Amino acid sequence: MGLPNNYWQLSDVNRDYRVCDSYPTELYVPKSATAHIIVGSSKFRSRRRFPALSYYYKDNHASICRSSQPLSGFSARCLEDEQMLQAIRKANPGSDFIYVVDTRPKLNAMANRAAGKGYENEDNYSNIKFQFIGIENIHVMRSSLQKMLEVCELKSPSMSDFLWGLENSGWLRHIKAIMDAGIFIAKAVSEEGASVLVHCSDGWDRTAQVCSVASLLLDPHYRTLKGFMVLIEKDWISFGHKFNHRYGNLDGDPKEISPVIDQFIECVWQLMEQFPCAFEFNERFLIHIQHHIYSCQFGNFLCNSQKERQELKIQERTYSLWAHLWKNRADYMNPLFRADHSQTRGTLRLPTTPCNFMYKFWNGMYNRFEKGLQPRQSVTDYLMAVKEETQQLEEELEALEERLEKIQKVQLNHTKVKSKQSEPSKHSGFSTSDNSTANTPQDYSGNMKSFPSRSPSQGDEDSALILTQDNLKSSDPDLSANSDQESGVEDLSCRSPSGGECAPSEDSAKDRDSDEAVFLTA
Amino acid sequence: MDEIEVSLTGSGRGPRSEVLAVGGGNSCETVRSLLPRGLLNSCPAGVASCPASSCPFQSPRWPRLTLLESVLLLGPRPTPSAMEFSELIRTGGAQAKLLRGPEVPPLHGTLCVTGHHLLLSPGPQATSDLWLLLLRSVDSIEKRVSGDSGTITLRCKDLRVLQLDIEGVEATRDIARSIEALSSLESVITSFPFFYRPKGLRLGDAWHFHPPERYYKRVARETNAWRLSEVNEDFSLCPSYPRAVIVPRAVDDDALACCARFRQGGRFPVLSYHHAPSGTVLLRSSQPLTGPQKRRCAEDEELLWAVLAGARPGARGFILDTRSAQAAKQARMTGGGTEARAAYPGWKRLHRPLERGRPLQESFVRLVEACGYLAQSTDCWRSRLEACHWLGHVKEALSTACLAAQAVEREGACVLVHGAEGTDSTLLVTSLAQLILDPSSRTVAGFQELVEREWIQHEAPTFLLFLDCVWQLGHQFPLSLEFGEGLLLALFEHAYASPFGTFLCSSEKERCLCEVRTRTHSLWSGLNQPKEQRKLRNPLYVPSPLAIWPSVEPQSLRLWQGLFLRWTRPNLQR
């Protein structure tokens, strides 16, 4: 991000978690913010989560900072906190104000004032623009997801049941609210060049969602495989998103559970649908990350804060998901990704008009275990296979050209030597049967009793086709139900183009022929 | 006064041209016009939607005299200049600004109306490109005048909404009146395809690309049980069937005549698709005219019996009625009905009610409305979508087609599909079932052939529903269709307003009477040009010999945004 620089410095004020136990030890703060200001400000913020840098936009020095709500009550002030915001504004010489975005609905924020918390009073802070963005709290989100999953589980719902259920769950409305907040912040930063301070109540749920969506919109780096891992580390893991509580990793208060990061992951998917070439990774990557947030198989998503993780020595005692994903990165690539595309270079620009239709039901996530509902053909896998094959062909072409050159040299020297180096391989096109859409009809008949019911597992030839290839993309057995949907196409990538598709004798005959041809033309 | 001549010269029938005048009064002159004016006035609704041809039971026994026929019977070649477009063109031209949506810059220029087009010429300083709109694609027109200018809003059949800001109140009124009059001209032979003579295409080309006869001949050759019959050579048995029909070999032409009298509109059961792997067939017809007395027809029963016997010994059959059992029963009161179980041994009747006609049209209109108000609907998009029921119709159509396909492939049964007239939802089911089962119908050529064979007569919203269902198949099987969304969109546009003659008229008989094949260009020749082909093909296509069984659960069906939000959705950087 080009840090540290003249405006931002790495602060060790939180060394040994002295100031805030849910923050990381190392944080970027404005250079003009002294330890005194930071500590003072932290005392005026819920759980001492003082304003700290989340993202720095180096093109225009604007930044996204995050914190928790101020303990303003109805009239309380804090000079250090005011100075802290002032320092953030000064760290961006291009703008004479900062936005303060409270991601809660106004009513919720006002209710907090009665408890001695609340939001910034524009009169007390110089040059701030205060903005509410109504994202509902974790309890609303939990019940919304519950409602949507109930709709997904309906037995053969009618179109109306489904659409009504989806609308009533409010899920996509919530997704849109999060996206809107992210879009607002990204616009403020990239177009207005203004810095933004984001908070909600404690600044670890909605704030994490909104900051990471905005970062993703602003910075192409976060749209790459590695960058996305960094983004989750940054805004979620290090800033103390309470993984243990939210995802019920340990027995705890069921009221603490809420699909907060699920919503962020879904926002990414919705963006991928809108910008198919902008992301280096594919849908499977998101689904696997989501899966492992709940699986507890890797250490990344254990505990509620860095401090807890350090105390338990998680890093030494568990494996990291990122290493695992990186090792299998071939499975997670988006074949349509183009780093040089105008779309992928800078900020992703979404239309300003309200576009509810843009937000779609994520079938691949919420019905991932319903094989019948999943796409029978994966464009991603197919394109990856084509890409791989193209690459291999290109390599082969290169080898052959090299060889041709050598042969020509040999000819120039009037020596008739047949070079017997690399065996040229032969390709056949994509065989149709491999790619076929092996699937079976679902039960369309309803009451058509006269048809003997055949279940796909009874081994008629079509269903056998589905089940033959247990082509697990990942090594997690839990996800097999999902990944073997990508049937057929898979096999293409497994088939080595240089593999012996034709008999060796034929091959060598071909070889000779082509050599002769080369001699003739040369 | 400047005169611009837009010459639409073509080979074959000599030059035809439309002359239009700019800047003058009502002085346009048309070189050719074909119908006497009085007749035009008597046919405001046109042939396709004329009450005479949609009235179900006027005279099932005899081929009806359609309005078009009566028009044509007045004279085989109507005299020129009996009616002139010029009488309908009330304007010379006017200065106007054209708004084509939020993201397209407005066009300024001179607006004029010709016999078939609305034309905006941007004037000498700008690019020389003319903006053209086929008047037939105008669905509704709305005009408002205020001060000394007016605004005309055109809603087009391809769902575009165009706004014209015109200088001068009189000019606005004149243009609106001209558009209104000309866009509702429904006489077939004065329509634009009869004048359209593009460069590089020859008349008569491509009309024989996909003759249904070829398919029928192949089936007859490959099986022993079917034969091509010329019993309908003069369209006397069934005016809405083509000349050649394919019927069981065991049934002779006299029996067919009896069957035709027993089926509404003469649409006796004919083969729609032969599924070679199972040896069974998909048939379609109209409802039997059992009436309240539950009449029977021995020949009809024999025909269906012969179908089963021809498939394989012991084959069973399903009659898929696209009406509810209740509706089928009620149809008896008006002379129709459905097959009695006892009369057709081996056949089992299933009812799968599909919406058609008016309710379907209304559903479509509601959906278009909802999509048009995207900008305002900040909330409840999905409940609005739900209220349209369109996706529900998509779901029903697809699952009924799947049911038919399943019976053919999985059960090795023969399937006869019919509703009442056997012209809309019937075709929907038979053609979708073929796409599911038959790999060759998923190629570009095969799909064109399927449309040509099955959708000889199309009812507006049903054809669109068909295209939507095909889109859903393509969405679920992105590798299995050789054509992409582009072809479906092109078919949608051309079905409603086209310079080509393929979608003119509603039956083979009418097409013959109008000489559509010799006097207009085929859409396929237009679409099969290499330049067009690139846009219409699916680059991901991989041929597969298997059936494609879609999911019909609501989670798997989506709104076809490429069509319904084509003009309204914001254009993201792609």
Side-chain angles (χ1 to χ4, degrees):
Chain A
M1 287 199 276
L3 292 178
N5 63 9
N6 285 338
Y7 304 107
W8 294 91
Q9 64 179 4
L10 198 60
S11 162
D12 64 349
V13 67
N14 200 33
R15 192 174 349 122
D16 302 328
Y17 307 101
R18 280 181 308 197
V19 178
C20 172
D21 60 1
S22 60
Y23 265 11
T25 50
E26 294 191 331
L27 285 159
Y28 275 98
V29 291
K31 236 178 188 166
S32 59
T34 60
H36 171 74
I37 292 178
I38 296 171
V39 173
S41 163
S42 77
K43 286 180 180 155
F44 189 63
R45 295 270 167 184
S46 265
R47 306 198 190 248
R48 315 196 72 186
R49 291 169 70 90
F50 56 89
L53 184 72
S54 164
Y55 177 70
Y56 172 74
Y57 191 64
K58 63 173 179 293
D59 295 13
N60 61 9
H61 306 299
S63 63
I64 302 173
C65 296
R66 53 184 290 176
S67 70
S68 60
Q69 63 186 337
L71 303 174
S72 54
F74 289 101
S75 58
R77 295 182 60 163
C78 169
L79 185 64
E80 289 87 355
D81 194 59
E82 288 160 27
Q83 287 171 334
M84 185 75 196
L85 266 62
Q86 191 83 309
I88 292 172
R89 181 178 67 75
K90 283 189 187 143
N92 175 14
S95 173
D96 53 6
F97 70 94
I98 67 168
Y99 279 108
V100 176
V101 171
D102 189 328
T103 55
R104 298 168 293 184
K106 190 170 182 184
L107 215 63
N108 300 16
M110 281 164 73
N112 263 301
R113 288 208 297 203
K117 299 164 186 173
Y119 51 93
E120 290 82 356
N121 184 340
E122 270 184 317
D123 300 337
N124 297 340
Y125 294 82
S126 52
N127 303 321
I128 68 163
K129 286 190 181 173
F130 189 83
Q131 180 86 35
F132 282 114
I133 292 181
I135 303 174
E136 298 291 346
N137 63 26
I138 55 167
H139 311 294
V140 175
M141 299 306 189
R142 180 177 55 242
S143 77
S144 168
L145 178 66
Q146 191 53 42
K147 280 187 206 150
M148 185 177 72
L149 292 179
E150 276 163 21
V151 173
C152 294
E153 282 158 15
L154 287 177
K155 280 266 169 281
S156 50
S158 74
M159 204 73 217
S160 299
D161 293 342
F162 177 71
L163 288 173
W164 268 116
L166 195 57
E167 180 88 356
N168 286 341
S169 77
W171 181 258
L172 288 169
R173 204 167 58 239
H174 299 314
I175 295 290
K176 181 176 181 298
I178 297 165
M179 287 291 298
D180 284 348
I183 293 167
F184 174 83
I185 294 166
K187 275 216 162 93
V189 167
S190 68
E191 288 172 23
E192 293 184 63
S195 293
V196 184
L197 171 66
V198 186
H199 68 74
C200 44
S201 296
D202 290 319
W204 50 40
D205 292 322
R206 286 168 273 200
T207 302
Q209 290 175 331
V210 166
C211 288
S212 46
V213 168
S215 305
L216 200 71
L217 288 170
L218 286 168
D219 198 329
H221 174 63
Y222 296 127
R223 304 196 285 264
T224 63
L225 214 62
K226 263 190 181 156
F228 191 69
M229 298 174 186
V230 170
L231 184 64
I232 290 185
E233 280 288 337
K234 167 176 83 84
D235 273 321
W236 295 85
I237 295 172
S238 79
F239 270 100
H241 176 65
K242 301 201 290 176
F243 283 95
N244 274 1
H245 286 170
R246 293 293 174 260
Y247 312 110
N249 290 347
L250 303 168
D251 272 345
D253 185 357
K255 285 218 163 75
E256 282 284 310
I257 294 176
S258 185
V260 182
I261 200 168
D262 303 60
Q263 289 184 314
F264 165 62
I265 290 174
E266 175 160 345
C267 286
V268 181
W269 178 80
Q270 301 281 1
L271 279 172
M272 277 164 56
E273 286 285 291
Q274 295 301 319
F275 298 96
C277 307
F279 292 83
E280 191 189 22
F281 46 86
N282 58 29
E283 180 184 14
R284 191 183 294 130
F285 184 63
L286 297 180
I287 291 176
H288 284 191
I289 290 177
Q290 194 269 357
H291 171 79
H292 284 300
I293 286 167
Y294 287 85
S295 76
C296 297
Q297 193 181 333
F298 296 92
N300 310 57
F301 309 115
L302 298 179
C303 305
N304 287 327
S305 68
Q306 288 292 62
K307 188 174 176 222
E308 276 184 33
R309 251 166 259 150
Q310 202 167 13
E311 282 164 1
L312 289 172
K313 297 197 166 62
I314 294 286
Q315 280 211 349
E316 293 149 48
R317 295 163 63 197
T318 65
Y319 284 99
S320 164
L321 172 64
W322 308 134
H324 170 76
L325 293 176
W326 185 250
K327 198 178 80 210
N328 298 310
R329 60 186 173 279
D331 298 341
Y332 303 122
M333 289 296 182
N334 170 15
L336 296 172
F337 175 63
R338 282 178 54 197
D340 55 339
H341 199 274
S342 64
Q343 180 189 87
T344 53
R345 273 205 298 267
T347 307
L348 294 184
R349 278 173 220 288
L350 284 149
T352 38
T353 46
C355 298
N356 290 276
F357 65 89
M358 248 172 51
Y359 298 102
K360 298 171 194 158
F361 171 72
W362 190 3
N363 198 8
M365 172 65 89
Y366 301 107
N367 283 317
R368 69 181 123 154
F369 301 114
E370 300 274 335
K371 285 185 181 186
L373 298 181
Q374 292 307 312
R376 314 303 214 273
Q377 298 168 330
S378 159
V379 173
T380 304
D381 290 346
Y382 176 69
L383 289 179
M384 281 316 276
V386 170
K387 213 171 163 179
E388 201 174 306
E389 177 132 6
T390 311
Q391 203 182 332
Q392 275 161 341
L393 284 170
E394 271 166 5
E395 280 165 18
E396 199 186 314
L397 176 73
E398 214 169 283
L400 285 172
E401 274 172 350
E402 238 167 66
R403 200 170 145 204
L404 182 65
E405 215 170 283
K406 273 187 193 161
I407 293 168
Q408 280 170 335
K409 267 185 204 157
V410 169
Q411 260 225 331
L412 280 174
N413 295 338
H414 301 287
T415 44
K416 302 229 168 191
V417 181
K418 253 189 192 177
S419 64
K420 285 250 172 182
Q421 20 163 258
S422 67
E423 289 278 295
S425 51
K426 189 173 171 258
H427 295 271
S428 60
F430 298 109
S431 109
T432 54
S433 55
D434 284 353
N435 239 320
S436 61
T437 57
N439 71 339
T440 41
Q442 60 186 86
D443 182 18
Y444 303 108
S445 54
N447 55 7
M448 194 167 69
K449 289 276 173 1
S450 72
F451 286 148
S453 68
R454 287 199 201 180
S455 85
S457 54
Q458 279 173 338
D460 53 334
E461 67 271 8
D462 279 11
S463 54
L465 261 170
I466 298 187
L467 300 170
T468 43
Q469 296 143 356
D470 189 9
N471 35 28
L472 284 188
K473 268 290 185 185
S474 81
S475 48
D476 331 311
D478 300 352
L479 282 171
S480 61
N482 175 41
S483 25
D484 85 340
Q485 279 305 311
E486 287 103 34
S487 67
V489 183
E490 180 85 17
D491 216 54
L492 287 170
S493 54
C494 303
R495 193 208 308 146
S496 150
S498 52
E501 284 252 307
C502 47
S505 58
E506 196 193 328
D507 214 329
S508 50
K510 259 260 153 23
D511 198 358
R512 218 174 302 120
D513 284 352
S514 57
D515 277 358
E516 275 160 16
V518 166
F519 275 106
L520 284 172
T521 49
Chain B
M1 189 216 300
D2 309 321
E3 269 204 330
I4 301 178
E5 189 172 356
V6 178
S7 179
L8 300 158
T9 350
S11 58
R13 296 196 154 252
R16 285 157 194 268
S17 59
E18 287 176 76
V19 179
L20 57 126
V22 182
N26 295 343
S27 58
C28 287
E29 185 194 342
T30 35
V31 165
R32 191 175 255 273
S33 52
L34 293 157
L35 278 181
R37 186 152 190 214
L39 277 165
L40 264 171
N41 288 342
S42 71
C43 177
V47 173
S49 56
C50 161
S53 61
S54 56
C55 168
F57 305 112
Q58 210 180 28
S59 164
R61 269 158 234 263
W62 299 282
R64 296 185 301 269
L65 203 62
T66 66
L67 198 76
L68 180 81
E69 290 168 49
S70 56
V71 167
L72 289 165
L73 285 175
L74 292 176
R77 201 162 294 289
T79 49
S81 79
M83 192 283 299
E84 296 194 346
F85 286 126
S86 61
E87 290 178 37
L88 299 171
I89 302 173
R90 294 161 188 275
T91 176
Q95 290 304 308
K97 181 173 81 173
L98 170 71
L99 299 161
R100 292 172 292 175
E103 310 211 358
V104 195
L107 273 182
H108 295 265
T110 310
L111 188 72
C112 21
V113 181
T114 75
H116 295 113
H117 286 99
L118 185 64
L119 201 146
L120 190 80
S121 157
Q125 76 283 0
T127 52
S128 58
D129 285 342
L130 282 178
W131 177 85
L132 272 175
L133 177 74
L134 199 57
L135 284 172
R136 269 189 79 114
S137 64
V138 174
D139 192 40
S140 76
I141 170 166
E142 196 184 296
K143 89 175 168 246
R144 263 172 304 143
V145 285
S146 65
D148 55 356
S149 68
T151 300
I152 293 179
T153 307
L154 300 175
R155 285 174 200 283
C156 300
K157 290 171 183 163
D158 62 2
L159 312 183
R160 252 184 310 175
V161 180
L162 303 168
Q163 188 185 322
L164 289 161
D165 294 336
I166 298 166
E167 283 173 23
V169 174
E170 234 5 81
T172 308
R173 288 214 181 94
D174 286 343
I175 286 173
R177 249 178 270 147
S178 313
I179 295 174
E180 230 164 317
L182 288 162
S183 61
S184 56
L185 272 186
E186 287 283 349
S187 119
V188 173
I189 51 178
T190 57
S191 64
F192 186 57
F194 286 85
F195 298 87
Y196 181 55
R197 297 293 175 264
K199 282 196 188 109
L201 293 185
R202 275 190 328 192
L203 270 179
D205 272 4
W207 278 111
H208 304 290
F209 273 15
H210 314 294
E213 291 85 354
R214 192 168 58 194
Y215 176 73
Y216 297 145
K217 271 186 192 142
R218 205 179 75 212
V219 172
R221 205 170 49 238
E222 284 170 5
T223 67
N224 252 335
W226 296 85
R227 70 182 179 96
L228 220 62
S229 164
E230 289 176 352
V231 66
N232 200 37
E233 181 63 34
D234 56 355
F235 305 110
S236 60
L237 237 53
C238 173
S240 62
Y241 270 176
R243 288 200 159 110
V245 289
I246 177 162
V247 292
R249 191 174 289 280
V251 179
D252 62 25
D253 285 356
D254 294 339
L256 289 179
C258 298
C259 294
R261 282 198 292 276
F262 185 62
R263 296 274 174 177
Q264 185 184 341
R267 294 175 70 90
F268 53 90
V270 291
L271 180 138
S272 161
Y273 168 63
H274 174 248
H275 190 57
S278 67
T280 51
V281 294
L282 197 59
L283 305 154
R284 52 181 164 75
S285 72
S286 60
Q287 64 177 344
L289 300 173
T290 56
Q293 302 89 26
K294 300 192 184 173
R295 288 195 308 125
R296 291 174 57 168
C297 168
E299 287 80 2
D300 194 72
E301 289 160 20
E302 267 164 36
L303 191 152
L304 287 191
W305 187 83
V307 168
L308 294 187
R312 62 181 159 79
R316 287 177 308 154
F318 289 97
I319 295 170
L320 201 57
D321 196 322
T322 61
R323 303 164 294 177
S324 67
Q326 181 76 12
K329 214 177 231 170
Q330 272 172 2
R332 284 215 296 262
M333 305 315 293
T334 48
T338 189
E339 291 83 355
R341 190 162 311 168
Y344 298 89
W347 290 88
K348 182 179 162 61
R349 207 172 65 230
L350 299 168
H351 290 276
R352 280 291 176 281
L354 292 182
E355 212 56 86
R356 68 202 88 203
R358 224 187 151 70
L360 194 60
Q361 177 76 37
E362 277 164 9
S363 160
F364 171 65
V365 170
R366 272 200 302 272
L367 179 57
V368 170
E369 250 168 43
C371 292
Y373 290 110
L374 272 181
Q376 289 141 11
S377 65
T378 48
D379 254 330
C380 319
W381 159 243
R382 246 151 283 270
S383 42
R384 284 197 81 140
L385 191 61
E386 191 277 324
C388 304
H389 294 298
W390 179 262
L391 280 174
H393 299 318
V394 169
K395 176 169 153 51
E396 291 311 315
L398 265 179
S399 42
T400 308
C402 286
L403 177 64
Q406 195 178 19
V408 167
E409 205 209 45
R410 293 294 158 129
E411 305 298 322
C414 296
V415 177
L416 167 66
V417 185
H418 72 70
E421 295 95 337
T423 50
D424 40 21
S425 48
T426 304
L427 304 178
L428 187 64
V429 173
T430 54
S431 49
L432 284 174
Q434 287 179 56
L435 270 173
I436 292 167
L437 290 175
D438 182 10
S440 69
S441 70
R442 294 177 223 138
T443 63
V444 171
F447 185 66
Q448 292 179 356
E449 188 186 315
L450 179 74
V451 170
E452 182 86 39
R453 201 170 65 225
E454 294 292 285
W455 291 93
I456 279 172
Q457 55 276 84
H458 57 280
E459 300 240 331
T462 312
F463 186 61
L464 177 60
L465 186 57
F466 167 69
L467 293 178
D468 196 337
C469 291
V470 177
W471 181 84
Q472 305 281 352
L473 281 176
H475 182 250
Q476 292 190 27
F477 297 92
L479 311 182
S480 289
L481 303 183
E482 196 188 5
F483 47 90
E485 189 181 38
L487 179 64
L488 302 177
L489 288 175
L491 287 177
F492 166 68
E493 277 174 18
H494 287 283
Y496 290 91
S498 172
F500 297 99
T502 297
F503 284 105
L504 288 179
C505 305
S506 51
S507 73
E508 188 57 37
K509 185 183 182 184
E510 288 177 11
R511 265 186 288 273
C512 283
L513 286 165
C514 295
E515 302 171 84
V516 168
R517 279 166 195 251
T518 49
R519 293 174 55 195
T520 71
H521 285 284
S522 157
L523 174 62
W524 311 130
S525 64
L527 292 184
N528 288 341
Q529 295 176 91
K531 192 181 70 193
E532 294 295 317
Q533 279 287 297
R534 270 197 296 280
K535 288 185 273 179
L536 307 177
R537 281 180 190 267
N538 171 15
L540 297 173
Y541 175 62
V542 179
S544 148
L546 295 181
I548 51 171
W549 300 104
S551 157
V552 297
E553 295 305 319
Q555 290 95 321
S556 309
L557 302 177
R558 281 196 181 181
L559 177 72
W560 183 7
Q561 294 198 359
L563 176 82
F564 291 105
L565 303 177
R566 188 176 177 192
W567 311 105
T568 44
R569 70 175 163 188
N571 197 17
L572 298 169
Q573 316 163 6
R574 295 272 163 196

